[in-house]
């Protein structure tokens, strides 16, 4: 197992430990990228994302961490989607890295090609990232993604998962959770919202490819996210990170609650954070203060209908999913175990 | 066909200049703007001396103990003393209580006070103003007022009738709670700033001394020194003492009269102090008789607990009715929810050798007779919001004015009176200090505060228990004082955790560097409020834009 990067070391006795973005009591070198005064701001101000966009936040976190890990030798291919549209309304861009917009479905293949080109040119220090939303990753780009994993190409694919096609008006994707309202899964009928027992978990599918590194992360836990990106850039071959990024517009939540909702998703067990190497689960981020699933759901209008009496069975199913995640990934700390 | 050559200045299909998103001022989307503010932490709010506790804990967190101490010294000139005798209302108000346990503010203050004495840190007087102030009473209020007036640059002389300065800290608080070498050192530090203290000097005619010495202004703080007495039918078989005299004699090493079976009558801290002193002076048996129930007696719980541990007995809900033949007749009282305890008509007897009344103290207001304008109501001197009596330039504070009668309150009175007197001497209006809105618990995002590692907690519990009086047990050391300080949540005041800087999806926060905090880029801030939601300490507020 790789050693913990310094930013992830347990800081005992401090006011906020490493839970906040920075900590003035920590040595400069032990702080997050996002706490540094000269951080790269790979995704700069003036982009056109909605107020409180989780994806804009997650993308800056991840790419800034990758820039630090690679010494700014980084190229990104970006699938069509919110992230592409709001950052780069031609001919203006918010990116400050070499960045290419591919098609909706081929970001992984384009990234594989860039990596191959860099190898051919003998510039293997230049690392490649492909990124996209859940639509471009789990649905449209899935074939190319699986190909990149299959060939073990030297690419880190980052999926910013906001659980639907937000750019085109909130349509269901294969990452949309059960019961969630979208434009194509309206809350009507006996089983309102998205059907249960559909969709897929791409992180688990990625693990099935036995690639060197797979992880899930969330915008609420920056230390964990930066640690995972840093770790991913420390190995070669195909790697996959999925970042949980709430979408105020699509989820019907308050823009100011984006980070809070991500935290609630993880703390309720709805979104497990884990790491895997070579197909084996190697670690989980334990729940620190468990909260009821209902508290997480109540923040979002896309789940409002599950609190109506005749939809109680849907609420039960959502609770069961969280309980299953907690059991499956062993998310609760044991007595006496320090988090 | 024209021979003109079309020069292609841009690549194919480009009609606009390429540019950065920085051209796009997304700040225009905003309906609410985040603003940084400092809210008043509950500890500061509760402190009768007006200490900026959050700020000095902030320095202690960094290990800069001298800066922390100097921050205390802005308000309170006696940290080593107050770190021992203060009843720390701050800890009762601490928001951390709602998370795990209050920050041990008092014990950190004591640690800082002792550091200052160990390293000999001194304070400077202000630029001389040529104004002269007279202070009567070298207790906590007088010393505090003198210290602050010196900091303003005024010339100060304190008059006190006792052989040593310190007032009730010295003559009312036993040595086991307040080691005298610490008190002496803190008083000497004030004297080193140029404060003159005339001891063994009883002031009988304030006006005469004032005129003779050319004092521009006067602060009087003679405390409440005369014991309250209640008449009890007695054949004088049991000697009757008063608590003030007993504690004073114990200090000046005169016989206290405590011997054999001692009964103390009263339920306040003074009664407990007398009881604990009697134990130390070798009484056979010490019983504190309290009129109220144990739960309602005014003495502080931890002091009662320590007294019980030392062997003091407490008998509650009893009134002393008669003394005859070395025997007290006690009447059982009945506790009632909202009333004073009621007599029950049931009596019992109790043998004793000596009885001490500890039923509170009165102010000797005789000194103020004949000063025109000074108003005394119910034995207490009346002052306005600037601590000024009805006479112009004549201030009063401490136990002799309406107050909670604690050392901390007196320190606060001294500071306030000094500030008012300084304004008065400069012929300016004394204005109340503006207070920030309270940083209540609901303003915090406590997710971000880490829990103390479980292995450390038991040790801390011990340390916290030690805070306060029992000089028999040790002080905080550097390691755990810093740890304790770091438990502070810095309620309402930015402590530069970088959260706002990190969580902004629009990169609209500028980090200004250590100690300089942050700034919003309103050109780009869309007003999403994530920063305000995720600020751990409640130092960001959303305010509507004028649209």
């Amino acid at each position: 197992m790789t050693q913990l990067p310094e930013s992830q070391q347990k800081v005992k006795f401090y006011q906020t430990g490493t839970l906040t973005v920075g900590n003035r009591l920590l040595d400069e070198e032990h702080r997050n990228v996002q706490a540094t005064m000269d951080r790269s701001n790979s995704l700069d101000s003036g982009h056109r994302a909605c107020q409180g966009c989780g994806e804009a936040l997650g993308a800056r976190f991840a790419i800034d961490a990758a820039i630090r890990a690679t010494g700014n030798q980084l190229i990104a291919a970006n699938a069509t989607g919110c992230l592409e549209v709001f950052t780069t309304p031609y001919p203006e861009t918010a990116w400050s890295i070499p960045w290419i917009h591919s098609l909706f479905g081929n970001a992984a293949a384009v990234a594989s090609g860039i990596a191959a080109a860099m190898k051919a040119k003998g510039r293997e220090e230049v690392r490649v990232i492909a990124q996209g939303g859940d639509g471009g990753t789990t649905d449209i780009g899935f074939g190319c993604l699986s190909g990149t994993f299959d060939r073990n190409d030297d690419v880190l694919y980052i999926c910013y998962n906001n659980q639907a096609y937000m750019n085109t008006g909130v349509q269901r994707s294969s990452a949309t959770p059960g019961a969630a309202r979208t434009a194509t899964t309206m809350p009507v009928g006996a089983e309102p919202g998205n059907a249960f027992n559909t969709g897929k978990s791409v992180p688990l599918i990625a693990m099935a490819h036995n690639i060197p590194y797979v992880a899930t992360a969330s915008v609420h836990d920056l230390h964990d996210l930066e640690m995972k990106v840093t770790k991913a850039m420390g190995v070669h071959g195909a790697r996959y990170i999925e970042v949980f990024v709430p979408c105020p517009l699509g989820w019907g939540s308050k823009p100011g609650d984006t980070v809070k909702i991500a935290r609630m998703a993880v703390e309720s067990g709805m979104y497990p954070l884990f790491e895997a190497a070579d197909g084996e689960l190697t670690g989980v981020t334990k729940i620190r203060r468990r909260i009821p699933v209902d508290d997480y759901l109540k923040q979002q209008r896309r789940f409002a209908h599950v609190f109506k009496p005749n939809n109680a069975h849907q609420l039960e199913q959502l609770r069961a999913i969280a309980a299953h995640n907690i059991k499956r990934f062993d998310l609760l700390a044991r007595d006496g175990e320090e988090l | 066909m024209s021979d003109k050559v079309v020069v292609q200045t841009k690549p194919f299909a480009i009609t606009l200049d390429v540019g950065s998103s920085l051209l796009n001022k997304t700040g225009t989307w905003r309906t609410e703007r985040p603003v940084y503010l400092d809210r008043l932490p509950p500890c500061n709010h509760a402190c009768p001396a007006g200490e900026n506790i959050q700020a000095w804990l902030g320095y202690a967190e960094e290990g800069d103990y001298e800066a922390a101490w100097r921050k205390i010294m802005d308000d309170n000139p006696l940290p080593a003393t107050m770190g021992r005798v203060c009843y720390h209302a701050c800890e009762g108000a601490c928001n951390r209580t709602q998370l795990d346990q209050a920050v041990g503010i008092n014990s950190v203050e004591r640690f800082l006070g002792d550091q200052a004495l160990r390293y000999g840190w001194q304070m400077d007087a202000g630029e001389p103003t040529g104004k002269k102030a007279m202070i009567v009473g070298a207790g906590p209020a007088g010393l505090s007022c003198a210290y602050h007036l010196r900091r303003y640059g005024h010339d100060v002389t304190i008059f006190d009738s006792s052989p040593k300065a310190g007032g009730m800290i010295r003559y009312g608080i036993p040595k086991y709670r307040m080691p005298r070498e610490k008190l002496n050192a803190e008083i000497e530090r004030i004297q080193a700033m140029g404060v003159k203290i005339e001891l063994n000097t009883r002031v009988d005619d304030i006006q005469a001394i004032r005129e003779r010495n050319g004092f521009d202004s006067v602060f009087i703080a003679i405390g409440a020194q005369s014991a309250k007495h209640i008449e009890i039918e007695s054949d004088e078989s049991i000697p009757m003492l008063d608590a003030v005299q007993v504690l004073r004699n114990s200090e000046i090493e005169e016989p206290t009269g405590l011997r054999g079976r001692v009964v103390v009558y009263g339920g306040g801290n003074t009664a407990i102090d007398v009881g604990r002193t009697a134990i130390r002076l070798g009484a056979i048996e010490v019983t504190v008789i309290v009129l109220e129930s144990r739960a309602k007696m005014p003495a502080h719980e931890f002091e009662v607990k320590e007294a019980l541990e030392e062997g003091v007995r407490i008998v509650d809900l009893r009134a002393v009715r008669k003394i005859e033949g070395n025997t007290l007749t006690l009447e059982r009282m009945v506790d009632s929810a909202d009333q004073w305890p009621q007599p029950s008509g049931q009596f019992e007897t109790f043998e004793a050798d000596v009885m001490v009344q500890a039923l509170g103290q009165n102010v000797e207001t005789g000194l103020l007779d004949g000063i025109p304008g000074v108003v005394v109501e119910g034995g207490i001197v009346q002052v306005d919001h600037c601590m000024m009596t009805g006479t112009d330039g004549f201030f009063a504070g401490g136990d002799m004015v309406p107050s909670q009668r604690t050392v901390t309150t007196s320190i606060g009175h001294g500071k306030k009176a000094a500030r008012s007197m300084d304004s008065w001497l400069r012929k300016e209006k004394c204005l109340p200090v503006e207070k920030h809105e309270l940083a209540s618990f609901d303003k915090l995002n406590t997710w971000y505060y880490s829990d103390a590692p479980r292995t450390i907690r038991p040790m801390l519990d011990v340390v916290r228990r030690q805070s306060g009086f029992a000089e028999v047990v040790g002080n905080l050391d550097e390691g755990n004082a810093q740890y304790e300080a770091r438990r502070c949540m810095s309620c309402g005041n930015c402590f530069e955790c970088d959260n706002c800087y990190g969580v902004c999806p629009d990169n609209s926060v500028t980090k200004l560097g250590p100690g300089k905090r942050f700034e919003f880029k309103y050109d780009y801030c869309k007003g999403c409020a994530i920063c305000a939601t995720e600020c751990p300490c409640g130092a960001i507020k959303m305010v509507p834009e004028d649209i």
Side-chain angles (χ1 to χ4, degrees):
Chain A
M1 201 61 220
T2 5
Q3 249 208 306
L4 282 179
E6 282 166 338
S7 65
Q8 190 63 14
Q9 286 176 346
K10 288 277 181 200
V11 184
K12 284 185 176 167
F13 313 150
Y14 292 119
Q15 204 156 28
T16 56
T18 47
L19 295 166
T20 47
V21 166
N23 189 325
R24 74 196 163 98
L25 303 172
L26 270 175
D27 297 338
E28 201 78 49
E29 61 192 287
H30 292 169
R31 295 187 198 178
N32 272 324
V33 177
Q34 291 302 317
T36 55
M37 284 182 75
D38 56 352
R39 71 179 185 209
S40 39
N41 286 323
S42 51
L43 179 51
D44 213 344
S45 310
H47 64 70
R48 288 157 161 85
C50 308
Q51 281 184 326
C53 175
E55 190 172 33
L57 192 56
R60 193 187 73 227
F61 285 174
I63 301 299
D64 278 355
I67 287 176
R68 176 160 82 173
T70 60
N72 204 17
Q73 298 297 302
L74 194 68
I75 295 176
N78 205 129
T80 305
C82 276
L83 187 62
E84 168 263 317
V85 169
F86 76 68
T87 60
T88 314
Y90 189 76
E92 214 176 74
T93 187
W95 291 105
S96 52
I97 50 162
W99 180 91
I100 182 170
H101 172 211
S102 63
L103 299 178
F104 211 150
N106 67 354
V110 169
S112 288
I114 298 169
M118 287 301 145
K119 192 176 176 189
K121 292 176 76 169
R123 300 212 42 202
E124 274 164 281
E125 78 281 7
V126 179
R127 308 298 302 275
V128 184
I129 282 181
Q131 54 179 358
D134 50 293
T137 305
T138 71
D139 296 348
I140 303 175
F142 191 64
C144 290
L145 180 69
S146 182
T148 297
F149 292 165
D150 162 42
R151 296 182 301 269
N152 198 23
D153 290 333
D154 192 14
V155 169
L156 167 63
Y157 193 104
I158 304 175
C159 168
Y160 304 102
N161 182 3
N162 58 18
Q163 303 188 329
Y165 289 85
M166 299 312 183
N167 173 41
T168 46
V170 199
Q171 291 86 10
R172 177 200 177 274
S173 79
S174 57
T176 303
R181 179 199 70 189
T182 68
T184 49
T185 57
M186 294 304 280
V188 290
E191 297 294 334
N194 188 36
F196 283 94
N197 304 317
T198 61
K200 55 179 120 160
S201 164
V202 174
L204 295 179
I205 297 172
M207 280 168 65
H209 290 77
N210 294 324
I211 56 174
Y213 189 71
V214 174
T216 58
S218 157
V219 281
H220 88 279
D221 192 341
L222 178 63
H223 290 264
D224 185 71
L225 191 158
E226 287 197 359
M227 179 272 286
K228 286 169 176 170
V229 172
T230 308
K231 209 186 246 186
M233 295 319 288
V235 287
H236 287 270
R239 291 142 288 143
Y240 180 77
I241 295 180
E242 184 178 290
V243 184
F244 188 75
V245 291
C247 170
L249 182 80
W251 296 11
S253 58
K254 282 195 236 156
D257 286 349
T258 295
V259 171
K260 176 175 138 187
I261 288 172
R263 182 160 60 235
M264 293 176 95
V266 171
E267 294 296 290
S268 65
M270 287 301 274
Y271 192 82
L273 299 184
F274 58 86
E275 285 180 286
D278 305 322
E280 295 295 330
L281 197 67
T282 53
V284 297
T285 306
K286 300 277 185 188
I287 288 175
R288 182 164 167 251
R289 291 184 194 156
R290 191 180 177 183
I291 59 151
V293 175
D294 299 20
D295 292 2
Y296 163 66
L297 301 173
K298 279 177 185 162
Q299 310 293 323
Q300 309 166 52
R301 282 199 303 279
R302 64 175 175 158
F303 290 115
H305 55 274
V306 306
F307 292 99
K308 288 184 182 156
N310 47 352
N311 294 331
H313 63 290
Q314 290 194 308
L315 190 55
E316 279 309 321
Q317 276 173 284
L318 289 163
R319 289 172 183 160
I321 289 169
H324 176 68
N325 284 339
I326 287 171
K327 196 166 161 233
R328 177 177 190 179
F329 293 100
D330 194 18
L331 297 176
L332 297 181
R334 269 163 212 81
D335 255 2
E337 193 177 345
E338 292 291 349
L339 293 183
Chain B
M1 239 183 101
S2 143
D3 356 319
K4 269 194 184 167
V5 180
V6 179
V7 178
Q8 191 115 25
T9 54
K10 289 173 182 164
F12 173 72
I14 285 200
T15 52
L16 297 167
D17 288 330
V18 289
S20 150
S21 61
L22 293 172
L23 300 170
N24 188 25
K25 301 286 168 68
T26 50
T28 53
W29 303 11
R30 197 170 57 233
T31 55
E32 279 187 317
R33 66 164 55 202
V35 290
Y36 290 109
L37 78 167
D38 287 317
R39 289 188 167 107
L40 178 65
C43 51
N44 298 12
H45 182 63
C47 178
E51 280 187 25
N52 193 346
I53 296 162
Q54 172 274 328
W56 62 253
L57 282 174
Y59 289 115
E61 284 154 27
E62 294 167 359
D64 191 347
Y65 301 125
E66 182 165 353
W69 177 79
R70 292 197 182 275
K71 196 74 199 167
I72 298 179
M73 293 296 283
D74 281 348
D75 299 295
N76 171 11
L78 307 170
T81 304
M82 299 315 294
R84 292 175 163 82
V85 303
C86 179
Y87 289 113
H88 42 79
C90 50
E91 293 183 24
C94 177
N95 275 334
R96 183 122 208 167
T97 315
Q98 296 182 52
L99 213 59
D100 41 35
Q101 277 173 299
V103 177
I105 298 168
N106 193 239
S107 47
V108 180
E109 182 173 35
R110 168 169 152 182
F111 166 78
L112 293 171
D114 286 358
Q115 286 286 102
L117 297 178
R118 187 174 305 137
Y119 294 106
W121 297 331
Q122 298 292 323
M123 296 298 292
D124 295 327
E127 284 298 307
T129 58
K131 302 282 185 192
K132 288 176 77 177
M134 165 182 179
I135 294 176
V136 188
L143 289 169
S144 165
C145 187
Y147 162 81
H148 286 287
L149 287 171
R150 272 310 284 152
R151 299 242 292 155
Y152 290 122
H154 307 304
D155 190 82
V156 186
T157 308
I158 310 180
F159 298 89
D160 196 287
S161 59
S162 298
K164 283 180 176 171
M168 276 296 183
I169 306 175
R170 183 183 301 278
Y171 297 105
I173 298 177
K175 287 189 179 87
Y176 61 85
R177 275 178 53 189
M178 185 61 239
R180 299 303 184 238
E181 67 275 12
K182 306 280 184 194
L183 176 64
N184 294 341
E186 293 211 303
I187 294 172
E188 280 159 20
R189 192 172 57 218
I190 295 173
Q191 287 174 297
M193 292 168 67
V195 169
K196 294 179 275 289
I197 306 180
E198 303 284 341
L199 295 166
N200 300 308
T201 310
R202 192 177 178 84
V203 174
D204 292 314
D205 189 340
I206 296 175
Q207 297 292 43
I209 297 179
R210 181 181 180 175
E211 275 161 37
R212 193 164 60 236
N213 295 284
F215 291 118
D216 297 289
S217 182
V218 180
F219 176 66
I220 170 163
I222 55 167
Q225 309 261 5
S226 88
K228 275 184 192 164
H229 271 277
I230 54 164
E231 286 307 316
I232 296 168
E233 186 187 334
S234 171
D235 65 354
E236 308 206 345
S237 55
I238 299 177
M240 184 77 74
L241 310 173
D242 79 65
V244 179
Q245 199 57 46
V246 166
L247 292 173
R248 192 179 177 89
N249 285 345
S250 151
E251 170 62 20
I252 58 178
E253 294 176 359
E254 291 286 319
T256 56
L258 298 176
R259 61 186 168 79
R261 294 162 298 178
V262 176
V263 163
V264 186
Y265 192 25
N269 290 317
T270 308
I272 301 297
D273 281 347
V274 172
R276 295 178 71 184
T277 301
I279 291 270
R280 281 169 174 74
L281 293 175
I284 298 167
E285 194 180 282
V286 180
T287 310
V288 177
I289 295 179
V290 186
L291 195 67
E292 301 95 332
S293 67
R294 176 84 168 67
K296 288 185 191 165
M297 64 189 281
H300 287 94
E301 183 52 39
F302 49 89
E303 255 209 271
V304 174
K305 202 169 147 262
E306 284 175 11
L308 291 171
E309 281 166 9
E310 290 171 8
V312 173
R313 268 182 72 202
I314 293 179
V315 177
D316 66 345
L317 290 169
R318 299 286 193 284
V320 180
R321 295 303 187 204
K322 201 162 111 182
I323 299 171
E324 195 175 15
N326 279 321
T327 305
L328 304 171
T329 303
L330 307 180
E331 181 173 7
R332 281 173 178 269
M333 304 300 279
V334 181
D335 194 18
S336 65
D338 41 28
Q339 284 173 39
W340 196 244
Q342 299 298 307
S344 68
Q346 293 173 293
F347 295 88
E348 59 191 32
T349 57
F350 195 91
E351 287 185 15
D353 296 313
V354 61
M355 177 168 158
V356 185
Q357 287 200 10
L359 300 159
Q361 288 109 255
N362 289 324
V363 182
E364 289 169 29
T365 55
L367 180 61
L368 298 166
D369 293 346
I371 299 180
V374 175
V375 180
V376 179
E377 264 173 36
I380 292 166
V381 177
Q382 302 299 304
V383 287
D384 65 10
H385 67 283
C386 295
M387 311 300 299
M388 189 150 84
T389 63
T391 305
D392 202 29
F394 197 107
F395 300 81
D399 289 356
M400 67 186 299
V401 305
S403 122
Q404 297 173 316
R405 293 198 173 172
T406 67
V407 182
T408 325
T409 309
S410 293
I411 300 261
H413 281 180
K415 175 179 95 168
K416 201 167 164 187
R419 192 171 59 221
S420 306
M421 195 191 281
D422 177 61
S423 305
W424 186 87
L425 287 169
R426 288 186 286 107
K427 303 201 169 21
E428 282 172 15
K429 244 182 136 162
C430 149
L431 297 168
V433 180
E434 215 173 297
K435 287 205 168 144
H436 293 153
E437 61 178 270
L438 194 65
S440 46
F441 190 72
D442 60 295
K443 303 280 190 299
L444 310 178
N445 186 341
T446 56
W447 162 264
Y448 289 104
Y449 297 103
S450 39
D451 311 311
R454 279 166 213 158
T455 46
I456 303 295
R457 269 179 232 159
M459 177 201 74
L460 281 176
D461 284 345
V462 172
V463 173
R464 269 183 226 123
R465 268 206 303 279
Q466 292 168 355
S467 81
F469 315 133
E471 213 56 36
V472 279
V473 287
N475 207 334
L476 288 179
D477 62 32
E478 285 213 18
N480 49 20
Q482 191 176 34
Y483 175 65
E484 194 59 34
R486 284 174 176 183
R487 294 182 62 249
C488 171
M489 302 196 287
S490 191
C491 306
N493 291 266
C494 175
F495 58 101
E496 296 177 38
C497 72
D498 297 324
N499 256 18
C500 51
Y501 178 58
V503 300
C504 177
D506 293 290
N507 185 28
S508 297
V509 177
T510 307
K511 180 170 174 169
L512 300 174
K516 297 181 191 148
R517 299 185 174 185
F518 307 87
E519 214 170 64
F520 289 112
K521 296 178 202 164
Y522 288 116
D523 275 355
Y524 299 106
C525 167
K526 294 170 186 162
C528 71
I530 294 181
C531 54
T533 312
E534 300 306 321
C535 176
C537 67
I540 300 175
K541 188 180 179 177
M542 298 303 293
V543 297
E545 289 285 359
D546 294 324
I547 302 166

